[in-house]
């Protein structure tokens, strides 16, 4: 899926949150968004998902205008938003329920790989915040949509689990082609996972800088950590994020 955002503007209670935002994500590409908190990243995902309608600008998916339309992409919100009355398995199943019969084998496989097999029959309130976040992540992965919009998907995880989930995501992407838009606060995570990184300005949000990651995609990229090029890129991104 090719996503194109053209001149997108959104005002919330007279305050411009997003102004003239312009970017695109190519089919199969992994693009990360990093920017100050409160700059409007989550709001952008509400707009892409059709929960809000922009006051100006256009959102195109494979060339088709989708402003204000829902159901075109898989979206993982910043808060897990699980349904409290459904078990973990039934929460994950939700993504498939809408489109086709449940693929139990695949769902159980995903739960197992995310370390959640033992809690599949439990309810959300019985899980830690980090586990709930992994459930929401799998729910997005299990969807049939090609385009995944992930809003700080690993933000609530401890460092070790986060590393494991990053590696798992990289290995999944070697098996199946997906187009990904990924919000993160971590420069390291953005370098590890992305083809391209968009650095966003403080509110009203627009793309301030754009950086192509110069390392081959895949699990081997991890080995480039700590090399001169990696550290140079990391410093460059840090400087871009510093308030001016
Ligand atoms: N439903 C809403 N309720 C409150 N504020 C909102 C809402 N929608 C958009 N906003 C505005 O969007 C701004 C950016 O928030 P958000 O998108 O969550 O930023 P980020 O995800 O980059 O931290 C907020 O400061 C707020 O003014
Ligand atoms: Mg946010």
């Amino acid at each position: 899926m090719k996503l194109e955002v053209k001149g997108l503007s959104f005002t919330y209670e007279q305050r411009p949150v997003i102004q003239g935002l312009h970017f695109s994500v190519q089919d199969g590409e992994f693009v990360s968004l990093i920017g100050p908190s409160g700059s409007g990243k989550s709001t952008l995902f509400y707009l892409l998902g059709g929960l809000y309608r922009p006051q100006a600008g256009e959102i195109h998916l494979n060339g088709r205008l989708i402003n204000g339309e829902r159901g075109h992409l898989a979206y993982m919100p910043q808060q897990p938003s699980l349904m409290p009355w459904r078990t973990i398995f039934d929460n994950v199943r939700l993504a498939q329920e809408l489109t086709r019969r449940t693929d139990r084998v695949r769902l159980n496989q995903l739960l197992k790989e995310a370390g959640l097999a033992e809690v599949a029959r439990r309810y959300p309130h019985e899980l830690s915040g980090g586990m709930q976040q992994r459930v929401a992540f799998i729910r997005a992965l299990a969807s049939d949509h090609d385009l995944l919009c992930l809003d700080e998907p690993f933000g609530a995880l401890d460092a070790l689990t986060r590393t494991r989930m990053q590696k798992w995501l990289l290995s999944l992407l070697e098996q199946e082609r997906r187009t990904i838009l990924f919000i993160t606060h971590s420069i390291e995570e953005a370098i590890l996972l992305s083809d391209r990184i968009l650095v966003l300005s403080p509110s009203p949000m627009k793309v301030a800088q754009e950086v192509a990651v110069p390392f081959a995609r895949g699990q081997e990229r991890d080995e480039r950590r700590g090399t001169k090029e990696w550290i140079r890129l990391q410093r460059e991104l840090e400087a871009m994020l510093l308030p001016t």
Side-chain angles (χ1 to χ4, degrees):
M1 284 272 173
K2 180 178 180 176
L3 171 72
E4 289 169 286
V5 170
K6 300 174 183 173
L8 199 69
S9 295
F10 182 73
T11 301
Y12 183 79
E13 289 179 342
Q14 273 114 47
R15 201 173 78 83
V17 180
I18 295 172
Q19 205 160 52
L21 180 71
H22 208 91
F23 71 92
S24 60
V25 181
Q26 302 303 316
D27 183 43
E29 200 180 17
F30 193 126
V31 173
S32 284
L33 303 172
I34 54 176
S37 39
S39 60
K41 303 182 294 298
S42 294
T43 306
L44 168 65
F45 277 15
Y46 299 151
L47 287 160
L48 297 180
L51 302 172
Y52 290 168
R53 203 174 244 286
Q55 279 93 10
E58 295 183 349
I59 304 164
H60 291 265
L61 209 52
N62 279 351
R64 203 167 82 72
L65 186 71
I66 59 152
N67 283 22
E69 289 183 16
R70 299 187 190 189
H72 295 296
L73 49 87
Y75 161 57
M76 175 183 170
Q78 198 168 354
Q79 302 302 325
S81 333
L82 305 178
M83 294 185 173
W85 61 88
R86 284 179 157 234
T87 64
I88 297 311
F89 185 86
D90 286 341
N91 263 285
V92 171
R93 196 171 83 178
L94 206 62
Q96 295 187 339
E97 239 168 41
L98 309 169
T99 47
R100 61 179 162 93
R101 276 183 50 216
T102 307
D103 183 348
R104 291 187 163 266
V105 175
R106 174 158 154 80
L107 293 188
N108 282 321
Q109 182 67 25
L110 288 171
L111 284 165
K112 190 174 149 219
E113 285 170 8
L116 295 166
E118 284 78 44
V119 298
R121 297 279 147 225
R122 292 185 186 262
Y123 289 87
H125 73 274
E126 301 178 87
L127 272 57
S128 71
M131 285 172 124
Q132 292 186 20
Q133 195 174 37
R134 275 180 281 157
V135 176
F137 178 61
I138 289 176
R139 186 176 53 188
L141 281 181
S143 121
D144 290 327
H145 292 296
D146 169 64
L147 177 62
L148 303 185
C149 290
L150 307 173
D151 194 347
E152 301 192 30
F154 307 141
L157 305 182
D158 62 86
L160 204 69
T161 312
R162 186 174 188 142
T163 304
R164 203 180 305 135
M165 296 301 287
Q166 290 167 343
K167 286 191 176 152
W168 183 49
L169 178 57
L170 285 174
S171 74
L172 279 175
L173 292 177
E174 283 172 6
Q175 294 154 36
E176 54 182 274
R177 188 184 170 84
R178 283 282 174 90
T179 306
I180 298 189
L181 195 55
F182 190 96
I183 296 174
T184 179
H185 270 123
S186 162
I187 291 175
E188 281 231 280
E189 182 169 79
I191 298 176
L192 180 69
L193 300 174
S194 327
D195 298 315
R196 227 161 15 106
I197 300 171
L198 306 180
V199 181
L200 303 165
S201 71
S203 175
M205 188 173 93
K206 57 180 168 43
V207 176
Q209 311 249 21
E210 182 182 325
V211 175
V213 179
F215 309 122
R217 165 100 84 92
Q219 295 179 77
E220 319 76 57
R221 189 182 283 188
D222 198 32
E223 289 152 25
R224 308 298 291 272
R225 241 189 249 260
T227 60
K228 255 194 211 134
E229 301 115 288
W230 184 294
I231 291 166
R232 196 186 307 126
L233 179 58
Q234 186 155 347
R235 296 230 171 101
E236 218 174 283
L237 287 161
E238 274 162 13
M240 290 175 188
L241 277 168
L242 277 177
T244 46

